[in-house]
Amino acid sequence: MGGGASFSERESAVAQACAVLTRTEDVLWAASGADLGRFMSELDELAARVDAARVEVLSEAVDRGEAGAGRSGASAWLLDHSPSLRAGGSARVVRLAEAAHDDRYGALLAAVREARVPLVTATVVVDEFERLASRLAPGAAGPVLDGLIEVASWGRPKDVRGLRDRLVAKYGALGELQLEQDRACERRSLSQPFADGTGLFEYTMVVDAEAKTVIEAAVQGLSAPRPAEGEPDRRPSGQRRMDALLEVVRRGVASADGVSTTPKAEVFVTVSLDDLVARSNAATVFGSGEAGALIGPETARRIACDAGIVPVVLGKDGEVLDLGRRFRLFTSAQLRALWLRDDGCTFPDCTVPASWCDGHHLRHWVDGGATDLGNAALLCGRHHTVVHRKGYLGELVEGGVRWTLVPGSYDHWLAGQAAAGSSLGRGERAVHGAGVGAGPGVRTYTVWGELATTAVAPPPAPPWRP
């Protein structure tokens, strides 16, 4: 029966199919193995087309007023006539019937009708696109929705959901991914220990993507089973991970120079030089269990100061411009000199002691700043994040560090240096000779000190490629 069949013909065919499929088990003995596989595939396509037809019928019922008003009315009508969905699945039909009235989802509904996209995955496409739409750069909505539909045609719901961060990084409004990660960072927490009365204590830890990447890089290398004297390691995975985290803490407390690292405990991130300078797109973690995780561009600039993460800076054609950390990090001797000079975190009114602080490049390393004491300041982890996030300018004045706590002051200073033709100075060389030119565009901020995501129009989105 072709697509030109009338409603009565279709209704009759559906009734006939129901009758034919009754007591299928009585005839399966006569089918070969190949027959069974082919029949199962045909049943699968039939089920997909039944789901699509349910969406169309419900949409028609809503348009005619047969179903009650709103989502609850549509759901009640559907369950009255499709009692099998009372066990689950009705919400998907209702959700897609709603989307059928939105012109943006025409291609998605066509894919569902043609049994190319299953109903369950199609509803995930709608949900993900609704989450993303307000966060995208102008003109990016079409390519993003097309990409979600394409992935839904061959992938699972988790594959569609897994695109979210990458789509925001590539097609999001200016600073959108960084803003999301900054907000997530502010929700990191570690609870006080709760005694359960058996001699054990429970902590609740909530971390963002950056913290998870660092923790997993340290824990994974130390939590592998370790047999001893021919006996297997019988500790369950959770115990081995806890023992590994405790070992990391013990090493950190015991070491005067900070946590000792091994190659297995290092985190590598790749980022293009253009993106690093322009604070766009995202850096990508590789070479660990967290491979593929995304790090916001301003976070990537900040961690270029830290020892825990190794940035791999790439050129336009993917060539490695810089790999490693030795020459961009302050040496132990330099840090001790900063301990004497700064006596602790240099951020106003902060009392964190010097041994707990990072060395920060006043002129950022990626902007050509030298790794020497004249371009250095101590900052605690919290204020190191704040300085990079809000673009504060720090200057060495009469042997001390003075901070201009005006959001974007660093960007304005850097733009002024470029406009004045300021040289990088002795030792202030850009990454392996790849010049940074005039530096990043000047960012603008809201009155709350947050990056104004609409300050600069982003470039047009390239065609989507999954």
Side-chain angles (χ1 to χ4, degrees), residues 378-438:
L378 287 182
L379 286 172
C380 66
R382 166 66 177 160
H383 288 130
H384 200 175
T385 298
V386 169
V387 164
H388 276 271
R389 181 185 303 169
K390 297 197 173 184
Y392 289 154
L393 172 66
E395 298 174 280
L396 195 60
V397 179
E398 297 179 355
V401 180
R402 181 180 67 193
W403 291 100
T404 302
L405 302 184
V406 176
S409 54
Y410 172 82
D411 301 297
H412 285 278
W413 172 84
L414 189 62
Q417 294 287 300
S422 172
S423 66
L424 294 177
R426 182 179 63 84
E428 298 185 3
R429 187 176 302 277
V431 182
H432 283 215
V436 295

Side-chain angles (χ1 to χ4, degrees), residues 302-318:
R302 174 177 57 78
I303 63 180
C305 297
D306 298 340
I309 299 184
V310 181
V312 181
V313 183
L314 305 178
K316 293 183 182 295
D317 298 321

Side-chain angles (χ1 to χ4, degrees), residues 98-182:
E98 288 179 330
H101 295 87
D102 189 329
D103 291 340
R104 296 177 301 173
Y105 297 115
L108 176 63
L109 267 295
V112 173
R113 293 187 194 104
E114 296 162 8
R116 290 188 290 110
V117 174
L119 180 65
V120 61
T121 316
T123 56
V124 174
V125 169
V126 174
D127 291 341
E128 286 300 302
F129 185 72
E130 294 293 339
R131 291 189 181 99
L132 289 168
S134 63
R135 306 171 64 191
L136 299 176
V144 166
L145 183 54
D146 290 344
L148 289 171
I149 294 171
E150 182 177 341
V151 173
S153 69
W154 54 261
R156 297 166 294 176
K158 64 178 293 186
D159 298 316
V160 176
R161 294 189 187 97
L163 293 172
R164 189 183 306 166
D165 285 350
R166 296 188 181 280
L167 290 175
V168 173
K170 189 171 184 179
Y171 294 100
L174 181 65
E176 182 67 25
L177 178 66
Q178 185 64 54
L179 182 62
E180 178 187 83
Q181 293 195 349
D182 287 346

Side-chain angles (χ1 to χ4, degrees), residues 224-235 240:
R226 288 182 284 180
E229 297 180 356
E231 289 292 324
D233 188 343
R234 302 187 184 280
R235 295 174 300 163
R240 285 187 277 108

Side-chain angles (χ1 to χ4, degrees), residues 24-25 45 59 67 70 72 82 90 92 109 165 197 260 263 270 276 283 361 375 383 394 400 403 427-430 456:
T24 301
E25 69 275 14
E45 181 177 353
S59 179
S72 60
S82 299
S90 64
R92 299 189 190 106
L109 267 295
D165 285 350
S260 56
T270 59
L276 198 59
H361 293 75
N375 189 48
H383 288 130
W403 291 100
E428 298 185 3
R429 187 176 302 277
V456 181

